[in-house]
Amino acid sequence: MGYLGMIIVALMVVIVFKILQVCRIVVWRPYAVTKCFRNQGIMGPSYSILSGSLCEMKKLRRVAMGTALNANSHDITERVIPHFTTWSSQYGETFLYWYGLQPRLYISDPELAKHILSNKSNIFVKPKARPTAEIFAGKGLPLINGLDWFRHRKIANPAFSMDKLKGMVQGMATCTVSMLDNWKNHADDQCREIEVHGEFKRLMADIIAHTAFGSSFVAGNEAFKAQLQLQQRCAASSTDTFIPGSQYLPTPSNIHIWKLDRKVKETLKSIIDGRLNSPNTGNSNRYGDDLLGTMIDALDIFQSRSGPKLNMEEIIEECKAFFVAGHGTTASFLTWIVFLLCKHSEWQTKLREEVLKECGMRIPDADMLAKLKLVNMVFLEALRLYCPVIRLFRQGSEDTKIGNLMIPRDTCIEIALIEIHRSEKYWGQDAKEFNPLRFINGISQAAKHPNALLEFGFGPRTCIGQNLAMLAGKTTITLILQRFSLSLAPEYKHTPVDNLLLEPQFGLPIVAKPFQ
């Protein structure tokens, strides 16, 4: 056989091997995984080649988006995740569905959730995100695994210590007062209609930019605007069938995503270079005590420094991740708190009385905020009913048994916070009602299961920014209640939607009246 014949045979072997690989991924694995779960009594919607269950998800979501809920109802599951409402009624609380080629096991048991989230042996890892999600969310702490995650977390931890966060309250208040002064200055007849979801997005961009970038917050905001556009692109494509490799094709959508990502990275790189070129010897950390300064101090160009290191690309990705995790979630959280206070005016009155008692009309500090017990209870109840992140994902790195379930390797486990937080089994007959008093004795005593509230996750990967989010939220709500009484605008439609975060589909218009 000549060289040409040998090359042809080799090519044929490669082609056959690739075809067999594709068949294994597209046909054999879905069959084997489905059979494994069926033998354990776990059923689910049928698998379609390449698209999995995405077509049915998209169809049910399209119908749900055309409806609006009663504003007095906090039972939002059917509108936010209609496919899961349909499937759980057909297949039970635990079922299997296919996100394209990825098998997903849907669970709503807090005991199983605790077991998965508290695991420290690296068996349950964050599943690999779609390329668009990685570009939008940044390949930082929320998405990375293993030793990289441990290294990044160890470097970032000092920036989120409570002592440092307490010192940021004044800056948070300054940003909030500026927003509220604008509300008052543009009020007509002592009232003003405001779309607060957009307002809170801009406010949290200011606060996060100050927190992360210090004096460079204006440039940071420019990067954030581009990243918000990336979020919209990512949310719009979340139920589309993903074909591996398509992210490299120069389609109009991909080209737009590349341009936005390049703008974000170039802006962040210029901020980092500016900090490197102008160190501040007045701080305990010469590059600043904020998150950016903490990470720059660990830059790998400083070979003489001990401890874990980051390279420039990793710092940029962490800055992106911090903005997404801190900005969008807290803005969503604040929006739903205002909605609940508008719907339950008696609680708005109670909170205002507590704020005026503990803070008067002064700018609050961390010690004042710590005394606001009713405010804290309302925050916890808002996180229960309208948690910005309604699902958590983990993926088994090996065949694993949890409870009575044997889970094949690479199965993605979807923990349905939205279901756990509303379950009458754990929260009682009023599970779908607003009742902050359930938290009067703390989180562990509020429900029949101590882990029935997972608003910031659980275990080693508990949200690193939870204290920052709570401080920013309490500062904002305190300053609003000192100055305004709030009510829903007549045109408000109760249309929560899962755009990667739980948000009001058409915003939250309210009427703000200066408080006398």
Side-chain angles (χ1 to χ4, degrees), residues 232-491:
Q232 295 168 358
R233 290 274 177 173
C234 186
S237 63
S238 62
T239 55
D240 292 340
T241 301
F242 172 68
I243 300 174
S246 61
Q247 69 270 27
Y248 303 114
L249 299 177
T251 62
S253 177
N254 282 343
I255 290 172
H256 186 57
I257 289 172
W258 297 339
K259 287 181 178 179
L260 289 172
D261 188 45
R262 185 162 57 249
K263 180 179 181 180
V264 171
K265 288 182 175 180
E266 287 174 352
T267 304
L268 292 174
K269 178 68 163 55
S270 68
I271 294 171
I272 295 168
D273 287 340
R275 190 77 69 90
L276 277 169
N277 294 329
S278 303
N280 187 344
T281 55
N283 291 324
S284 58
N285 179 343
R286 68 194 299 252
Y287 294 105
D289 291 326
D290 54 18
L291 177 65
L292 183 60
T294 300
M295 291 192 295
I296 289 177
D297 196 52
L299 197 58
D300 57 5
I301 60 174
F302 305 124
Q303 297 296 334
S304 61
R305 309 266 177 99
S306 59
K309 301 276 192 277
L310 294 174
N311 60 42
M312 184 66 76
E313 182 66 23
E314 288 174 323
I315 292 178
I316 290 173
E317 292 298 321
E318 282 296 350
C319 288
K320 290 168 62 178
F322 178 53
F323 171 70
V324 171
H327 161 271
T329 53
T330 311
S332 171
F333 172 41
L334 282 169
T335 299
W336 294 118
I337 289 173
V338 167
F339 166 73
L340 289 167
L341 292 179
C342 288
K343 289 303 301 178
H344 303 275
S345 57
E346 72 280 9
W347 276 97
Q348 185 179 157
T349 300
K350 290 178 183 179
L351 263 57
R352 183 176 292 107
E353 290 173 352
E354 182 181 58
V355 164
L356 294 177
K357 176 185 175 183
E358 300 295 344
C359 309
M361 292 301 293
R362 294 169 291 172
I363 299 296
D365 58 28
D367 292 334
M368 293 178 189
L369 296 175
K371 296 176 182 178
L372 302 177
K373 305 302 182 184
L374 291 178
V375 170
N376 192 62
M377 288 159 54
V378 167
F379 272 42
L380 292 174
E381 183 71 340
L383 283 168
R384 185 183 73 84
L385 290 172
Y386 293 93
C387 190
V389 178
I390 63 172
R391 293 172 281 172
L392 296 176
F393 299 94
R394 293 294 186 270
Q395 184 168 305
S397 58
E398 57 186 62
D399 292 347
T400 310
K401 187 171 185 179
I402 55 170
N404 296 320
L405 287 176
M406 178 57 69
I407 301 177
R409 175 183 177 181
D410 293 335
T411 299
C412 180
I413 302 166
E414 181 168 338
I415 302 169
L417 304 189
I418 193 171
E419 294 279 4
I420 295 173
H421 290 179
R422 283 175 169 74
S423 172
E424 293 184 1
K425 185 190 305 183
Y426 308 115
W427 295 98
Q429 294 297 313
D430 65 345
K432 297 180 177 66
E433 297 174 14
F434 178 72
N435 178 20
L437 289 176
R438 70 177 82 245
F439 292 102
I440 195 167
N441 295 316
I443 295 176
S444 61
Q445 301 297 316
K448 296 177 183 178
H449 193 288
N451 302 114
L453 185 68
L454 296 166
E455 76 284 18
F456 291 110
F458 186 81
R461 297 194 72 138
T462 300
C463 176
I464 193 173
Q466 61 177 301
N467 290 328
L468 172 63
M470 292 295 277
L471 277 177
K474 288 179 181 179
T475 301
T476 302
I477 292 299
T478 295
L479 290 167
I480 290 175
L481 291 174
Q482 286 175 334
R483 292 160 171 77
F484 293 93
S485 61
L486 312 172
S487 59
L488 287 179
E491 66 269 25

Side-chain angles (χ1 to χ4, degrees), residues 169-187:
V169 172
Q170 182 62 47
M172 297 174 186
T174 300
C175 294
T176 307
V177 168
S178 176
M179 177 188 75
L180 298 180
D181 285 346
N182 186 55
W183 290 10
K184 187 170 290 188
N185 292 337
H186 291 82

Side-chain angles (χ1 to χ4, degrees), residues 36-205:
C36 173
F37 281 111
R38 187 185 298 121
N39 290 340
Q40 301 178 73
I42 305 296
M43 308 297 286
S46 59
Y47 165 80
S48 296
I49 290 179
L50 292 180
S51 64
S53 311
L54 288 173
C55 291
E56 187 175 353
M57 289 171 64
K58 187 179 292 188
K59 178 182 177 182
L60 291 169
R61 180 182 170 91
R62 191 183 305 117
V63 173
M65 290 302 98
T67 64
L69 300 176
N70 185 324
N72 295 314
S73 172
H74 306 308
D75 187 8
I76 65 173
T77 308
E78 189 170 354
R79 187 181 199 278
V80 175
I81 46 172
H83 34 291
F84 298 129
T85 303
T86 299
W87 294 336
S88 61
S89 66
Q90 294 176 349
Y91 309 112
E93 291 183 357
T94 302
F95 57 84
L96 177 75
Y97 76 102
W98 291 83
Y99 189 71
L101 296 173
Q102 181 188 65
R104 287 188 173 179
L105 182 68
Y106 185 85
I107 67 170
S108 55
D109 182 336
E111 189 60 35
L112 288 180
K114 173 187 173 183
H115 181 89
I116 293 164
L117 296 174
S118 63
N119 185 273
K120 297 180 181 179
S121 59
N122 214 31
I123 293 176
F124 298 108
V125 300
K126 283 291 187 79
K128 185 171 177 58
R130 286 188 173 189
T132 50
E134 282 191 347
I135 291 174
F136 152 64
K139 288 175 279 189
L141 278 172
L143 295 183
I144 58 178
N145 289 300
L147 293 177
D148 283 339
W149 174 84
F150 183 80
R151 173 169 53 91
H152 285 226
R153 180 90 179 205
K154 187 173 182 180
I155 291 169
N157 268 334
F160 293 93
S161 68
M162 186 52 76
D163 287 341
K164 285 193 177 181
L165 293 178
K166 286 180 178 179
M168 297 176 183
V169 172
Q170 182 62 47
M172 297 174 186
T174 300
C175 294
T176 307
V177 168
S178 176
M179 177 188 75
L180 298 180
D181 285 346
N182 186 55
W183 290 10
K184 187 170 290 188
N185 292 337
H186 291 82
D188 295 323
D189 299 324
Q190 297 300 304
C191 289
R192 185 187 176 194
E193 186 170 310
I194 303 162
E195 197 290 285
V196 292
H197 187 51
E199 290 284 293
F200 287 149
K201 280 186 175 181
R202 287 185 286 273
L203 171 64
M204 288 312 303

